[in-house]
């Protein structure tokens, strides 16, 4: 059976988006060097070290590329520490983990960082779609070689599930509720027997999971009901609900940190002043909550105005300022780029945004930032 090739980290550092274990390799290495706590079988870090890696806030001494240095562990997930701790405990247990929440609440982001820290590989991933097949979750065959040589272990194409089982790693299953029931059912036996049967092979017709194997699945609440999980599968998962960031200041911090990371990745030498991001997150929060800071009721859009959408608006504004402006991001740029996030397929959202600009933004337009925002928004809205 072909084994997964090791990731070439020198090449990966040049790609558009390297997996977390490559992007944050120094932090993971530093955590590993300082980790004295017990680890579950096959885990690269102890549960305590995984928690610190996810929540950040510490600086640890380490030897990176034979040089002694201090490595700052950055905050990956902004949210309840107890929630992350429960997620880690679940992954060490015999039950799988299901992260459920609204779109853009960092379910995939958290799952990527958990697998990077636990298994050192976040790429063993199945992207669930309506077209995902049972073969993609278990195994398939190299048809040309099967015709020539018959079913042999070498002619098998293992799925990420099988590779994770053989190496005692964590499998990521994205958007599990988008998969048809047959595919979901195939997971029931994997999660309870911790094995995949291969009836086509006369010998070695069963792949057993090594200790450490587990699954993190994600599901979008907006997709729930597309293919609801069966009762049998529900029982094999511990559900953790990821809420939308509750407080304004934290959301501004997330948008600031992630936008800075994206600008670094895309080599965009632009700085966005915190008050501009504060305004962006305020607009999002007010339209999401249906209430302004002054207590005025506004209509809520049908589109989910998630933190992830706010990050995209901030990053697109930075690109616009860099390529079409003087690299100074203003609230006017934010106004011009916000429309694609607020108004998606539902055109009534356009009316809701217009009303927000007319009632709320206009009232505040005497102040500098809101003035620019109002001008930018009226320009795009026509
Ligand atoms: N609480 C948070 N902590 C850290 N990052 C966050 C948080 N909420 C949102 N983000 C950021 O939002 C972005 C999108 O997150 P992600 O793609 O993981 O969302 P998701 O919940 O998987 O959405 P979907 O359901 O649409 O797949 C990431 O860049 C992530 O850093
Ligand atoms: Mg996702």
């Amino acid at each position: 059976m072909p084994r997964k090739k090791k990731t070439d980290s020198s090449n990966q550092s040049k790609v558009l988006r390297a997996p977390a274990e490559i992007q944050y390799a120094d932090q993971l290495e530093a955590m590993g060097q300082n980790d004295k706590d017990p680890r579950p079988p096959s885990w690269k870090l102890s549960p305590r070290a995984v928690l610190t890696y996810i929540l950040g806030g510490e600086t640890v001494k380490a030897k990176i590329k034979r040089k002694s240095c201090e490595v700052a562990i950055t905050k990956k997930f902004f949210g309840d520490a107890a929630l992350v701790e429960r997620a880690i405990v679940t992954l060490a247990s015999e039950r799988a983990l299901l992260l459920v929440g609204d779109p853009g609440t960092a379910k995939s982001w958290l799952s990527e960082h958990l697998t990077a820290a636990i298994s050192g590989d976040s790429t063993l991933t199945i992207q669930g779609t309506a077209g995902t097949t049972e073969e993609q979750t278990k195994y398939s065959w190299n048809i040309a070689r099967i015709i020539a040589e018959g079913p042999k272990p070498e002619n098998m194409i293992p799925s990420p599930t099988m590779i994770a089982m053989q190496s005692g790693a964590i499998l990521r299953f994205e958007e599990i509720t988008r998969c048809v029931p047959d595919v979901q059912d195939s997971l029931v036996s994997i999660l309870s027997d911790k094995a995949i049967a291969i009836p086509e092979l006369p010998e070695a017709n069963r792949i057993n999971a090594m200790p450490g194997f587990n699954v993190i699945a994600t599901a979008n609440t907006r997709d729930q009901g597309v293919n609801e999980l069966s009762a049998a599968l529900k029982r094999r998962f511990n559900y953790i609900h990821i809420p939308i960031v509750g407080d304004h200041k934290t959301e501004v911090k997330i948008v600031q940190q992630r936008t800075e990371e994206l600008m670094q990745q895309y080599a965009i030498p632009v700085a966005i002043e915190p008050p501009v991001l504060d305004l962006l997150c305020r607009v999002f929060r007010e339209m999401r909550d249906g209430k302004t800071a002054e207590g005025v009721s506004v209509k809520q859009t049908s589109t989910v105005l998630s933190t992830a959408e706010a990050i995209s608006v901030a990053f697109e504004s930075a690109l616009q300022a860099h390529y079409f402006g003087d690299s100074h991001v203003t609230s006017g740029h934010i106004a011009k780029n916000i429309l694609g996030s607020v108004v998606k397929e539902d055109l009534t959202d356009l009316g809701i945004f217009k009303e927000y600009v007319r009632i709320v933004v206009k009232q505040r337009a005497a102040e500098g930032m809101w003035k620019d925002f109002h001008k930018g928004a009226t320009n795009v809205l026509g």
Side-chain angles (χ1 to χ4, degrees):
M1 228 170 287
R3 297 280 309 186
K4 192 170 177 274
K5 275 194 212 132
K6 264 209 132 347
T7 328
D8 177 357
S9 56
S10 57
N11 268 343
Q12 289 276 359
S13 60
K14 296 189 195 95
V15 301
L16 187 56
R17 189 190 183 283
E21 61 276 18
I22 306 288
Q23 281 188 57
Y24 296 84
D26 290 356
Q27 293 188 31
L28 290 167
E29 174 62 31
M31 286 310 302
Q33 287 177 21
N34 288 279
D35 191 11
K36 307 270 180 295
D37 287 317
R39 303 174 189 187
S42 307
W43 282 35
K44 301 266 188 253
L45 294 176
S46 67
R48 202 188 294 272
V50 174
L51 184 69
T52 307
Y53 168 76
I54 301 284
L55 298 178
E58 278 186 24
T59 301
V60 290
K61 288 194 174 117
K63 250 193 174 160
I64 306 288
K65 293 180 193 124
R66 290 199 226 124
K67 267 194 195 154
S68 297
C69 53
E70 294 207 329
V71 180
I73 309 300
T74 56
K75 196 166 185 63
K76 318 297 176 313
F77 179 72
F78 292 73
D80 187 10
L83 176 157
V84 182
E85 197 176 307
R86 268 191 297 131
I88 296 169
V89 169
T90 304
L91 289 170
S93 78
E94 41 93 55
R95 273 213 296 176
L97 171 65
L98 182 62
L99 301 176
V100 202
D102 273 341
T105 46
K107 299 179 295 296
S108 305
W109 175 254
L110 182 58
S111 126
E112 178 179 354
H113 282 285
L114 283 170
T115 44
I118 294 172
S119 312
D121 187 353
S122 62
T123 64
L124 294 171
T125 306
I126 295 173
Q127 181 63 52
T129 68
T132 304
T133 60
E134 201 174 327
E135 285 80 41
Q136 285 163 356
T137 63
K138 287 184 166 177
Y139 60 89
S140 53
W141 296 99
N142 180 328
I143 301 296
R145 291 185 62 170
I146 285 278
I147 293 168
E149 301 168 2
K152 287 179 173 183
E154 311 80 271
N155 298 343
M156 178 180 273
I157 304 168
S159 66
T161 318
M162 200 174 252
I163 297 168
M165 288 170 98
Q166 286 171 315
S167 53
I170 310 276
L171 168 77
R172 292 176 54 199
F173 203 126
E174 286 286 303
E175 306 292 352
I176 193 169
T177 43
R178 297 211 67 86
C179 295
V180 295
D182 282 2
V183 172
Q184 292 187 10
D185 287 349
S186 68
L187 261 188
V188 175
S189 67
I190 291 170
L191 291 177
S192 20
D193 304 345
K194 314 282 185 203
I196 294 180
I198 311 164
E200 297 91 333
L201 289 180
E203 285 162 33
N205 52 13
R206 189 179 158 96
I207 295 287
N208 293 301
M210 291 290 116
F213 167 71
N214 210 335
V215 178
I216 305 185
T218 62
N220 201 308
T221 27
R222 292 272 168 145
D223 285 340
Q224 252 175 14
V226 175
N227 287 302
E228 221 196 313
L229 294 192
S230 66
L233 201 51
K234 273 186 190 154
R235 193 166 66 72
R236 282 157 183 88
F237 276 105
N238 189 19
Y239 280 49
I240 294 194
H241 290 262
I242 312 276
I244 287 195
V245 182
D247 98 283
H248 172 68
K249 270 194 185 154
T250 310
E251 191 163 30
V252 176
K253 259 195 219 155
I254 299 172
V255 176
Q256 182 168 13
Q257 183 178 316
R258 290 293 298 128
T259 312
E260 275 168 13
E261 283 169 0
L262 282 169
M263 291 193 294
Q264 218 171 358
Q265 216 171 309
Y266 282 74
I268 306 295
V270 170
I272 311 185
E273 288 165 28
V276 174
L277 295 179
D278 191 275
L279 179 145
L280 164 65
C281 293
R282 189 158 299 286
V283 174
F284 263 51
R285 184 159 297 269
E286 290 181 338
M287 298 197 66
R288 185 193 294 149
D289 296 350
K291 205 169 193 179
T292 70
E294 297 85 1
V296 176
S297 293
V298 288
K299 283 193 190 127
Q300 290 165 290
T301 53
S302 61
T303 310
V304 182
L305 292 174
S306 65
T307 312
E309 290 279 359
I311 295 167
S312 302
V313 174
F315 182 50
E316 283 152 23
S317 302
L319 290 174
Q320 195 180 29
H322 178 58
Y323 290 118
F324 293 104
D326 58 1
S327 291
H328 179 69
V329 184
T330 65
S331 49
H333 290 116
I334 300 284
K336 285 180 192 153
N337 288 288
I338 211 167
L339 208 60
S341 287
V342 177
V343 187
K344 294 205 189 279
E345 69 275 6
D346 186 354
L347 281 182
T348 53
D349 287 347
L350 181 63
I352 294 175
F353 184 58
K354 273 186 180 164
E355 199 172 293
Y356 177 81
V357 172
R358 194 171 50 80
I359 297 173
V360 182
V361 181
K362 206 173 164 198
Q363 288 288 318
R364 299 173 181 166
E367 287 176 47
M369 292 242 168
W370 287 99
K371 197 172 169 184
D372 277 354
F373 185 82
H374 185 253
K375 203 170 148 201
T378 33
N379 264 346
V380 282
L381 291 171

